[in-house]
């Protein structure tokens, strides 16, 4: 498997220190939580992303993130990378994150681009869920 | 107990085995000017005669391991070529008798793709679904047999599952119906006893590199009694009684011969040792929650163990087990990232198929290797499940089949 060192490191760090890398769950019913879950077991990957937001002025800021991912090494690395990108961002900024940013950050091989697409979809869905609650 | 362990640990013996050092010595004796390098087809000098002698001695070793006459052994470049030669050879020679072939969905690609080629040439092929346990039975065959069936090609031991088909039963059925029976036995040599003098088998494929011999050499058993004819697929100097032309690679052939000679001698000891390793491995790994053994555990060899770790994706598990060399499904398909066609044929759901790992043990696997692997597996599965939203849902009592997944 031709993974970059970045994917391997990210994957290993995430599984070895899950708490430090925001693995976990929030209660999806809480009003300050937005949940996104994309993918399907039969396709080989499922990403669940949760954002915890706080209103600051007329915007909302992502204060904390939790995720869980079932999938190949690069799917796990992609979600972990995304989590780092999200922390501290406003929702407007978070919406600007594109899958290509993850591809670049992790040097994903072409056959694994779909992992980054999944990550992008998960944040879109989490934001949508959060905004619907407000 | 020694604590210095050689990493990575090789648990992929079903993919290939290292050459036994005794075999390597034999090979190197047949290469250089001061060795036995001649062309076994050279009739006019000692170099040729000596090489021929080595080739025939090796042929006897192979025949001896599987209980046939040395004259029934045809050298090929491996089991893939042996499978092609057997299937296309029979089909081409006997097509006037009929154009229907029966095989199974869990055969090696060498059998499946040879059959696909014959379909393009106008033959009809039935691909049987195995039982849930990964076996092919005579009743499955009987349900699809036709008057114009000329060949049944069924593997002995499945390379992904380790399941063992009953050759005696299938062979007897084939004899009764007057249908040729070919067996891909690439995974069998040195693992289970084969006695072709008693087995009703017409053609059997062998490989050297699954049994501590070199890659690039194999053999096809072609029965003389009853006499089976095949049409050559490789034409040239008429070597191997016209069935397979091409200068015999003496060094590889003696390597296969030596490997099979050792297999005959050490099969019992190898088997006993590997059974103990399998027991140790299985007893421990079966304590992990939600694991599934693929293939009938009561009807398989102990050198192969295929397990699905539910709610963990196979490739990530292999990455987490980076110090262990194993296969996810079959080595041929793990590059294409598709769940194994063998596991799908058993009726396993895609997610269980893609969470499967094949562990295969061999002559050089140690107790320490197994212990170390077990500790890594326990750790990796626990960590990946902690990371898995599916595991979380399972623990919450959610039936994953009822979830409306957003497929992409």
């Amino acid at each position: 498997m031709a993974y970059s060192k970045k994917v391997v490191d990210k994957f290993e760090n995430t599984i070895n220190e899950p708490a430090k890398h925001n693995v976990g769950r929030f209660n999806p019913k809480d009003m300050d939580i937005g949940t996104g879950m994309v993918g399907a077991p039969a396709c080989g990957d499922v990403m669940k992303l949760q954002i915890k937001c706080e209103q600051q002025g007329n915007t909302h800021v992502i204060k904390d993130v939790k995720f869980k991912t079932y999938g190949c090494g690069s799917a796990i690395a992609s979600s972990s990378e995304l989590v780092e990108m999200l922390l501290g961002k406003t929702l407007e900024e978070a919406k600007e994150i594109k899958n290509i940013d993850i591809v670049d950050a992790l040097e994903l091989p072409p056959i694994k681009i779909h992992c980054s697409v999944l990550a992008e979809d998960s944040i879109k869905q989490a934001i949508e869920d959060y905004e619907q609650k407000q | 107990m020694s604590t210095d362990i050689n990493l990575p640990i090789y648990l992929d013996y079903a993919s290939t085995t290292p050459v036994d050092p005794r075999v390597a010595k034999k090979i190197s004796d047949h290469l250089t000017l001061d060795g036995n390098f001649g062309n076994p087809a050279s009739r006019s000098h000692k170099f040729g005669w000596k090489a021929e002698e080595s080739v025939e001695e090796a042929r006897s070793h192979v025949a001896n391991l599987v209980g046939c006459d040395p004259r029934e052994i045809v050298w090929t470049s491996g089991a893939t070529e042996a499978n092609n030669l057997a299937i296309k050879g029979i089909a081409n020679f006997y097509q006037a008798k009929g154009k229907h072939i029966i095989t199974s969905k869990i055969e090696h690609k060498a059998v499946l793709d040879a059959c696909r080629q014959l379909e393009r040439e106008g033959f009809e092929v039935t691909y049987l679904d195995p039982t849930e346990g990964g076996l092919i039975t005579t009743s499955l065959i009987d349900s699809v047999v036709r008057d114009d069936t000329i060949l049944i090609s069924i593997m002995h031991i499945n390379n992904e599952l380790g399941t063992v088909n009953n050759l005696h039963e299938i062979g007897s059925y084939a004899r009764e119906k007057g249908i040729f029976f070919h067996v891909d036995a690439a995974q069998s040599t040195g693992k289970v006893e084969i006695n072709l003098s008693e087995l009703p088998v017409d053609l059997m494929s062998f490989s050297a590199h699954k049994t501590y011999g070199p890659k690039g050499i194999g053999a096809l058993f072609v029965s003389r009694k009853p006499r089976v004819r095949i049409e050559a697929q490789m034409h040239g100097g008429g070597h191997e009684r016209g069935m397979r032309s091409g200068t015999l690679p003496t060094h590889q052939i003696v390597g296969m011969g030596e490997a099979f000679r050792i297999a005959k001698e050490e099969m019992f000891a190898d088997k006993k040792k590997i059974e103990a390793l399998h027991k140790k491995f299985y007893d421990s790994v079966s304590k992990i929650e939600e694991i599934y053994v693929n293939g009938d555990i009561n009807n398989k060899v102990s050198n192969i163990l295929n397990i699905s770790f539910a709610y963990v994706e196979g490739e990530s598990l292999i990455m987490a087990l980076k110090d262990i060399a194993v296969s996810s499904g079959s080595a041929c398909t793990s590059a294409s990232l598709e769940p194994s066609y063998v596991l799908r044929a058993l009726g396993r759901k895609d997610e269980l198929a893609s969470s499967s790992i094949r562990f295969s043990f061999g002559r050089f696997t140690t107790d320490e290797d197994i212990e170390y692997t077990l500790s890594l597996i326990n750790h990796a599965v626990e960590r990946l499940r902690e990371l898995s939203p599916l595991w979380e849902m399972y623990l919450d009592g959610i039936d994953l089949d009822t979830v409306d997944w957003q497929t992409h």
Side-chain angles (χ1 to χ4, degrees), chain B residues 297-364:
Chain B
I297 186 108
N298 298 313
N299 211 336
K300 69 170 207 67
V301 285
S302 39
N303 57 299
I304 297 177
L305 182 58
N306 189 314
I307 298 179
S308 288
F309 297 86
Y311 313 111
V312 171
E313 195 275 335
E315 194 209 288
S316 66
L317 185 53
I318 284 189
M319 254 177 103
L321 298 173
K322 62 169 181 171
D323 286 332
I324 314 293
V326 288
S327 284
S328 182
S330 138
C332 305
T333 52
S334 51
S336 60
L337 306 166
E338 280 167 11
S340 134
Y341 67 91
V342 171
L343 296 184
R344 290 171 87 159
L346 300 193
R348 285 285 194 226
K349 283 190 294 187
D350 279 358
E351 53 266 43
L352 263 189
S354 64
S355 76
S356 79
I357 302 236
R358 178 188 69 184
F359 301 91
S360 51
F361 320 116
R363 186 176 289 163
F364 306 110

Side-chain angles (χ1 to χ4, degrees), chain A residues 68-96:
Chain A
K68 287 200 177 187
T69 294
Y70 161 88
C72 61
S74 62
I76 289 170
S78 295
S79 355
S80 189
E81 186 69 33
L82 174 69
V83 166
E84 267 175 43
M85 292 177 174
L86 289 173
L87 282 165
K89 287 221 163 56
T90 66
L91 292 187
E92 288 70 30
E93 288 165 341
K95 283 175 190 170
E96 291 303 308

